[in-house]
Amino acid sequence: MKEKDTKNISKFLSLVLRHAPETIQLKLDENGWANVDELISKCNQFGKELDFELLEEVVVTNDKKRFAFNEDLSKIRANQGHSIDVDLNLNESQPTDFLYHGTVEKFIGSIINDGLQKMSRQHVHLSKDIETALKVGSRRGKPIVLRIDAPKMFENGCKFYLSENNVWLTDNVPVKYIEF
Ligand code: HQG
């Protein structure tokens, strides 16, 4: 399977497992899990060719480990990034160092006013290194990386979660913790 094809499937899985399962009449449970057999049959029904082997390849080779199977491989879900309301039962974690957020110039004025907001997703996404934040920001243009005083936020009672694929998540970042 070519990289281009696995990427195409990965993008489609991001759509149905994070944002719009109804696109293929799929149902996720309250924790964001889809039944693997159902996912495969509905994908095929809606014109996306998929079998278990390919699904496994996408999960294993995905650059950001976006998806995970449950233990017996009967269910699959996205590790983070949802806009639909699911409970991932994320573990609270303590950040011990600065975290970073990649964005673009046009949002800066509004971020100065409101801090970082989760916008359409369930959390604000932060990364532990500048390089990742640069990549996140460059999806939208020339990237700007903001440094977040996460240890101070934590000390002041803000909660942080670390997703299975090592993305730091929090509800919002008040502007006083952001270094522009
Ligand atoms: C911005 C991708 C105005 C924020 C990435 C961002 C990440 C504000 C955009 C993951 C704002 C939201 C998430 C405010 C935040 N006013 N704009 N007050 N607060 N913003 O896509 O962090 O490839 O929901 O800076 O790699 O860009 O999909 O969040 O630009 O990990 O797996 O509003 O998505 O991962 O955009 O990206 P997003 P994000 P995947």
Side-chain angles (χ1 to χ4, degrees):
M1 181 58 57
K2 292 198 204 86
E3 200 183 318
K4 198 175 105 227
D5 299 323
T6 47
K7 196 165 176 185
N8 179 290
I9 299 279
S10 165
K11 288 205 160 182
F12 188 71
L13 290 178
S14 285
L15 171 75
V16 299
L17 296 177
R18 287 172 167 179
H19 308 297
E22 68 279 5
T23 313
I24 55 168
Q25 289 171 13
L26 183 70
K27 285 247 184 310
L28 307 185
D29 73 13
E30 59 183 10
N31 305 119
W33 295 105
N35 177 286
V36 167
D37 292 338
E38 190 188 345
L39 173 71
I40 290 172
S41 75
K42 296 238 161 114
C43 278
N44 286 312
Q45 198 182 315
F46 283 82
K48 276 275 165 199
E49 259 181 62
L50 186 65
D51 57 20
F52 184 77
E53 203 187 342
L54 174 54
L55 186 62
E56 203 173 23
E57 187 181 335
V58 171
V59 172
V60 172
T61 61
N62 191 259
D63 57 346
K64 287 195 191 168
K65 300 278 170 257
R66 289 180 178 87
F67 314 105
F69 287 113
N70 68 342
E71 229 161 80
D72 68 6
L73 309 182
S74 65
K75 294 190 225 174
I76 184 170
R77 74 176 177 186
N79 282 322
Q80 40 68 232
H82 298 79
S83 57
I84 47 177
D85 185 17
V86 294
D87 180 3
L88 295 174
N89 290 323
L90 293 165
N91 291 322
E92 275 182 46
S93 294
Q94 176 173 3
T96 52
D97 229 322
F98 290 111
L99 294 174
Y100 300 89
H101 178 85
T103 189
V104 283
E105 173 75 38
K106 67 176 175 190
F107 296 145
I108 296 296
S110 161
I111 293 172
I112 287 173
N113 281 329
D114 305 332
L116 285 172
Q117 300 293 331
K118 49 187 147 184
M119 311 309 275
S120 63
R121 303 204 194 232
Q122 285 201 301
H123 297 96
V124 172
H125 290 223
L126 304 171
S127 53
K128 68 172 174 14
D129 58 275
I130 297 175
E131 203 190 354
T132 306
L134 275 170
K135 279 193 205 144
V136 173
S138 50
R139 286 152 54 238
R140 299 201 154 80
K142 190 164 165 265
I144 294 181
V145 172
L146 309 178
R147 193 167 82 156
I148 313 299
D149 194 344
K152 179 66 80 186
M153 281 178 69
F154 185 84
E155 205 181 298
N156 292 342
C158 300
K159 287 185 178 158
F160 286 85
Y161 308 91
L162 189 56
S163 72
E164 280 290 306
N165 56 341
N166 288 320
V167 178
W168 283 90
L169 306 168
T170 193
D171 282 337
N172 61 77
V173 180
V175 73
K176 65 178 170 183
Y177 301 109
I178 306 175
E179 197 179 289
F180 289 89

